[in-house]
Amino acid sequence: MTIAVDFDGTIVEHKYPAIGEEIPFAIDTLKMLIKDHHKLILWSVREGELLEEAVAWCRERGVEFYAVNRDYPEETTDNNQHFSRKLKVDLFIDDRNVGGLPDWGTIYRMVSRRKSWHDIIEEDGALDFHSSAERHHHRSKKKKKWWQVL
């Protein structure tokens, strides 16, 4: 997969424009994802010198990104008429996700097993308050439209 990874708040704690402390297991997990042949793209609001500092910080710890703030390393506005900061990736890892950022161990399990957050929680038994039959019943019930709830 091609995976976009945010920097501030995801790999390191939010201290922008400074670089915060590493979020536990972020670097180790990124190394494992690279070893598993995923293409990682650093996707950050940082630009210029601040971006270079973030890339160097990761590189010093053994994480070399496939690309930085672009879909592929050689991409420019000259060779891609449709250049956009909106990346075309399979997955985004970002602390601004709906529901927040899972811990990096959970992120690795989700990516390596190609499972959703819900699947991982269910595997862990966190949703065992419903029986299997009840879960099936809840999933198969037709959802009400938003205006029917009012």
Side-chain angles (χ1 to χ4, degrees):
M1 282 195 280
T2 302
I3 303 170
V5 185
D6 179 40
F7 186 70
D8 295 288
T10 302
I11 297 173
V12 298
E13 296 172 350
H14 271 290
K15 299 289 181 188
Y16 183 87
I19 294 178
E21 293 293 317
E22 177 191 349
I23 292 182
F25 306 107
I27 292 296
D28 288 339
T29 304
L30 294 172
K31 287 178 184 178
M32 289 170 33
L33 291 171
I34 292 168
K35 185 179 177 190
D36 291 348
H37 306 287
H38 296 287
K39 291 180 182 176
L40 302 185
I41 297 175
L42 182 63
W43 181 54
S44 176
V45 70
R46 290 174 176 257
E47 295 180 313
E49 189 176 315
L50 294 175
L51 180 60
E52 290 173 24
E53 289 173 1
V55 170
W57 187 93
C58 292
R59 186 177 290 133
E60 289 166 6
R61 287 154 182 79
V63 174
E64 191 73 42
F65 291 97
Y66 167 71
V68 177
N69 282 348
R70 58 190 64 194
D71 287 310
Y72 51 92
E74 308 82 17
E75 183 180 36
T76 66
T77 52
D78 294 336
N79 66 13
N80 182 353
Q81 299 172 19
H82 307 288
F83 178 82
S84 169
R85 286 280 305 267
K86 183 168 183 171
L87 300 177
K88 295 165 253 346
V89 298
D90 300 305
L91 182 68
F92 290 88
I93 300 174
D94 191 330
D95 62 306
R96 304 294 180 160
N97 293 328
V98 174
L101 182 71
D103 66 83
W104 278 95
T106 300
I107 291 170
Y108 184 76
R109 287 171 52 209
M110 291 169 68
V111 173
S112 64
R113 297 179 186 176
R114 295 182 183 256
K115 299 272 186 165
S116 72
W117 171 251
H118 185 269
D119 293 337
I120 295 293
I121 290 173
E122 208 169 58
E123 283 177 3
D124 289 347
L127 298 180
D128 280 345
F129 57 89
H130 291 304
S131 71
S132 175
E134 287 174 313
R135 279 196 305 270
H136 176 72
H137 173 73
H138 288 296
R139 285 187 197 138
S140 62
K141 284 173 80 174
K142 188 172 182 178
K143 290 179 82 175
K144 290 184 178 182
K145 306 290 185 204
W146 66 269
W147 65 84
Q148 293 174 315
V149 178
L150 300 176

